[in-house]
Amino acid sequence: MLYACQDRYGDVFTLRLAHEGTWVILADPEAVKQVFTGDPRVLHAGEGNQILEPFLGRNSLLVLDEKPHMSQRRLLLPPFHGERMQAYGEAMAEIAIREIERWPTATPYELRPRMQAITLDIILRTVFGVEDERRMGELRDALRDFLDLGTNPRMLLPVLLIGPRRVRGIGPVRRRLDRVDGLIRREIAGRRGAADLERREDILSLLVAARHEDGSPMADEEIRDELLTLLVAGHETTATSLAWAVERLARHPEKLGRLRAEAEAGEDDAYLTATIQETLRLRPVISIVLRRLTEPVEIAGHELPAGVSVAPSIYLVHRNPEIYPDPQAFNPERFLDDPPGTYTWIPFGGGVRRCLGASFAQFEMAVVLRELVRRREIRPVDPKPERVFRRAITETPRHNARVVLS
Ligand code: HEM
């Protein structure tokens, strides 16, 4: 449909969606740049995410705008700096190897759920900082149950019927949230009293040590909201991107071979990096980002009124043949000499709302893919590409990246 609209109306067109209001889809990199560099007071992203508030809480970075958003983002940014990610590499590799070694060979196997197990454990270790097996197991179960709320149609229906505000009143929702909250509070309390707090590198410890501009520490409630936000924003997205990388590589044995040769030589990650960039270009797990206008704005020659949402289309920008020749082809080589452009490669959105975990996610994908291709040969069960299938908000491979490993 996006293609059909683009053919008919060009790079800027309007969709009017039931319950969502008016979306102006933008496929032109200049317009996308204008949105990503525009005034955050005029371009609200948090407003569009209100449905998440009952689950993630009122301090969640995802639901805030303007000053409250910027001050919360300032607290969360330092742990996500590029170099810091290196410290997490060992834990990530250990978790990935343990999973991969358990996967069956010589039989069709769906990798997306297994990638979810990997990314969940990585978040528990690096974000929540939990190492103890028993506590890890408790949190894993409670968080899985909580995350299932987002994809379980029996849960989504009541949200639509009674509205997100009252959703906490529903028994199964409340029970799950209470269990998660209890376990997270225990972790926060334990960390506040930890003797080794200053030496710890997990993100929870860094948040416990972080200070607002007035010097005050983050409240338990704030930390709780941000931990769940990082989980929800970072778990499914990264797992699905990994599943897509496998789905594409399995159908391109020559690219897989090149990647494996590089991983085995262990000198350089250029091809691995390009493979990840190309996967995120061709199969972005999130296809648009939204900003609601608080004032009238002119974008790409159109006067847009307050109240409409502008929506940079990750999907269409990534398939523009002028930017990406032969756009449907999976071709990591295209990024070897030409690094991705700020407004033409936008799987992580952009501007002051750009994905906080972008470096973390790409680093994590690199660690997991490297360990996988070093250990296993991968073939598709069906040579036809898997179709894009939408689950809640992410675009996933229809058959969960079904492959045969050997
Ligand atoms: C391949 C994996 C991922 C993809 C494709 C992805 C994509 C995105 C996108 C498209 C946005 C919205 C950007 C915008 O509105 O301009 C976003 C926001 C966000 N992401 Fe990610 N993400 C990924 C992984 C992660 C990880 C691993 C974390 C943290 C551990 C994370 C944390 C966040 C947060 C906190 C925001 C909200 C930022 C804000 O509103 O200021 N993401 N992500």
Side-chain angles (χ1 to χ4, degrees):
M1 186 203 64
L2 289 172
Y3 272 142
C5 290
Q6 190 183 31
D7 276 350
R8 192 153 162 194
Y9 304 110
D11 281 343
V12 183
F13 54 87
T14 298
L15 300 178
R16 290 188 182 84
L17 304 171
H19 306 301
E20 276 295 339
T22 301
W23 288 8
V24 178
I25 309 282
L26 306 171
D28 164 33
E30 271 308 307
V32 169
K33 178 174 178 184
Q34 196 184 334
V35 170
F36 285 161
T37 54
D39 183 348
R41 283 174 309 174
V42 177
L43 298 148
H44 276 190
E47 231 182 279
N49 290 330
Q50 290 310 308
I51 191 163
L52 297 172
E53 201 204 293
F55 305 99
L56 303 183
R58 62 193 171 89
N59 306 292
S60 164
L61 194 62
L62 282 168
V63 307
L64 297 174
D65 280 305
E66 300 192 33
K67 254 189 125 145
H69 169 257
M70 280 322 279
S71 56
Q72 206 65 14
R73 194 168 158 108
R74 211 172 289 124
L75 290 167
L76 282 173
L77 264 176
F80 284 100
H81 270 167
E83 313 91 77
R84 222 173 216 295
M85 298 304 114
Q86 313 295 329
Y88 304 134
E90 219 170 290
M92 288 175 173
E94 205 179 283
I95 289 166
I97 293 168
R98 202 177 49 196
E99 254 297 324
I100 294 165
E101 292 292 345
R102 283 208 295 252
W103 296 347
T105 50
T107 184
Y109 196 55
E110 295 185 353
L111 288 196
R112 196 181 71 92
R114 301 325 308 159
M115 294 300 187
Q116 286 182 299
I118 293 180
T119 61
L120 182 57
D121 273 12
I122 288 179
I123 287 184
L124 285 175
R125 279 272 281 281
T126 60
V127 177
F128 289 64
V130 181
E131 277 139 38
D132 176 79
E133 267 307 320
R134 192 182 53 81
R135 274 162 49 219
M136 190 129 167
E138 278 174 350
L139 264 167
R140 195 187 284 130
D141 290 348
L143 293 175
R144 266 257 60 89
D145 253 14
F146 163 77
L147 289 164
D148 286 345
L149 287 173
T151 45
N152 180 345
R154 281 199 322 229
M155 285 297 150
L156 286 176
L157 191 61
V159 175
L160 290 176
L161 289 176
I162 68 172
R165 300 254 150 230
R166 283 157 58 201
V167 78
R168 242 184 189 263
I170 302 174
V173 175
R174 195 186 52 244
R175 275 195 297 281
R176 286 172 192 192
L177 281 171
D178 286 350
R179 184 166 157 224
V180 164
D181 285 352
L183 292 173
I184 292 186
R185 272 182 214 297
R186 183 180 74 184
E187 291 304 321
I188 299 174
R191 211 58 53 82
R192 288 208 192 276
D196 62 348
L197 182 65
E198 276 178 20
R199 290 192 305 280
R200 295 187 63 106
E201 290 187 310
D202 59 89
I203 289 172
L204 169 54
S205 298
L206 296 166
L207 295 183
V208 165
R211 293 292 175 265
H212 291 112
E213 272 172 355
D214 66 3
S216 61
M218 290 176 80
D220 282 4
E221 198 199 9
E222 274 179 286
I223 298 186
R224 175 264 180 213
D225 293 356
E226 299 312 356
L227 287 179
L228 282 185
T229 299
L230 296 175
L231 171 77
V232 164
H235 157 67
E236 181 107 6
T237 43
T238 313
T240 302
S241 302
L242 276 164
W244 275 124
V246 172
E247 189 277 346
R248 289 291 74 205
L249 283 166
R251 287 164 181 80
H252 295 83
E254 70 297 350
K255 318 273 183 207
L256 178 57
R258 183 165 179 188
L259 182 60
R260 176 171 298 121
E262 183 192 85
E264 280 166 358
E267 282 159 12
D268 170 10
D269 280 339
Y271 200 73
L272 178 57
T273 305
T275 301
I276 291 165
Q277 289 163 341
E278 178 68 342
T279 302
L280 292 168
R281 177 192 72 82
L282 191 58
R283 295 288 186 272
V285 295
I286 295 176
S287 58
I288 57 164
V289 295
L290 287 175
R291 305 286 187 265
R292 192 164 297 164
L293 300 183
T294 61
E295 296 176 2
V297 179
E298 193 193 311
I299 292 180
H302 300 267
E303 274 296 336
L304 304 177
V308 310
S309 293
V310 288
S313 171
I314 298 172
Y315 187 89
L316 288 175
V317 170
H318 284 185
R319 281 154 195 264
N320 180 335
E322 280 166 29
I323 308 165
Y324 299 108
D326 196 5
Q328 306 290 353
F330 177 70
N331 184 21
E333 282 76 1
R334 70 172 89 237
F335 287 116
L336 281 179
D337 297 324
D338 278 322
T342 312
Y343 304 107
T344 51
W345 185 79
I346 51 170
F348 297 105
V352 297
R353 303 304 296 227
R354 184 167 189 267
C355 175
L356 201 72
S359 303
F360 186 97
Q362 290 171 90
F363 183 67
E364 178 177 356
M365 287 180 71
V367 170
V368 177
L369 281 178
R370 187 187 298 118
E371 298 305 338
L372 175 59
V373 301
R374 273 183 185 160
R375 284 176 174 72
R376 296 288 182 267
E377 186 51 73
I378 311 167
R379 282 187 299 111
V381 174
D382 179 347
K384 284 207 302 287
E386 290 192 29
R387 295 186 53 175
V388 177
F389 179 73
R390 189 170 156 116
R391 274 175 229 271
I393 54 165
T394 52
E395 314 271 348
T396 66
R398 183 73 184 92
H399 302 292
N400 288 323
R402 223 153 79 94
V403 294
V404 176
L405 302 168
S406 56

